[in-house]
């Protein structure tokens, strides 16, 4: 008999937490560089409570000016909280880029 933790399947792989509530945000950005910069900045932080909510960031392949944020959460409340936090952080990064543009575009 093999002892397993609650988060381990019989094959030894770890189960993902059950996060039934999902949302995909499409955040328009001024250009592809800004979209990718915001993605990089937001993706650095690990999920605070991965058993409650998870975030994934990508830049749209069809339109590189669009940042895609996928959120999975345990409850609607957690989904709203995470989405609000992500949008606040994305807005702050955008404002910082506007205030301190990269050297290539600063003139």
């Amino acid at each position: 008999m093999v002892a397993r933790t609650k988060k381990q399947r019989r094959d030894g792989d770890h189960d993902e937490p059950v996060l039934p509530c999902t949302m995909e945000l499409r955040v328009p950005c001024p250009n592809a560089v800004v979209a990718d910069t915001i993605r990089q900045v937001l993706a650095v932080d690990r999920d605070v409570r991965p058993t409650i909510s998870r975030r994934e960031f990508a830049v749209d392949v069809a339109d590189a000016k669009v940042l895609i944020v996928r959120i999975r959460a345990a409850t609607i409340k957690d989904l709203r909280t995470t989405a609000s936090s992500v949008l606040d952080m994305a807005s702050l990064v955008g404002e910082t880029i506007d205030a301190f543009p990269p050297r290539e575009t600063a003139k």
Side-chain angles (χ1 to χ4, degrees):
M1 184 170 178
V2 177
R4 291 183 294 276
T5 64
K6 287 194 305 188
K7 293 187 177 189
Q8 221 173 19
R9 290 187 277 187
R10 291 175 191 230
D11 61 7
D13 290 338
H14 291 282
D15 283 342
E16 289 287 319
V18 177
L19 303 171
C21 303
T22 62
M23 174 185 291
E24 182 175 286
L25 302 171
R26 300 179 60 78
V27 182
C29 299
N31 58 55
V33 173
V34 171
D36 192 52
T37 301
I38 293 173
R39 180 195 61 79
Q40 289 176 21
V41 170
L42 297 182
V44 169
D45 293 331
R46 293 175 47 191
D47 293 311
V48 177
R49 298 179 308 173
T51 58
I52 302 297
S53 69
R54 300 259 174 117
R55 307 160 306 143
E56 297 173 12
F57 302 96
V59 173
D60 192 342
V61 176
D63 184 359
K65 297 188 301 183
V66 176
L67 173 69
I68 299 172
V69 182
R70 291 182 190 91
I71 303 170
R72 296 180 299 143
T75 67
I76 295 293
K77 180 181 177 182
D78 296 325
L79 189 67
R80 281 193 314 261
T81 302
T82 303
S84 177
S85 174
V86 166
L87 290 173
D88 286 347
M89 289 186 291
S91 177
L92 181 60
V93 174
E95 290 172 15
T96 302
I97 291 170
D98 286 344
F100 303 99
R103 292 177 193 241
E104 299 85 35
T105 60
K107 291 186 179 181

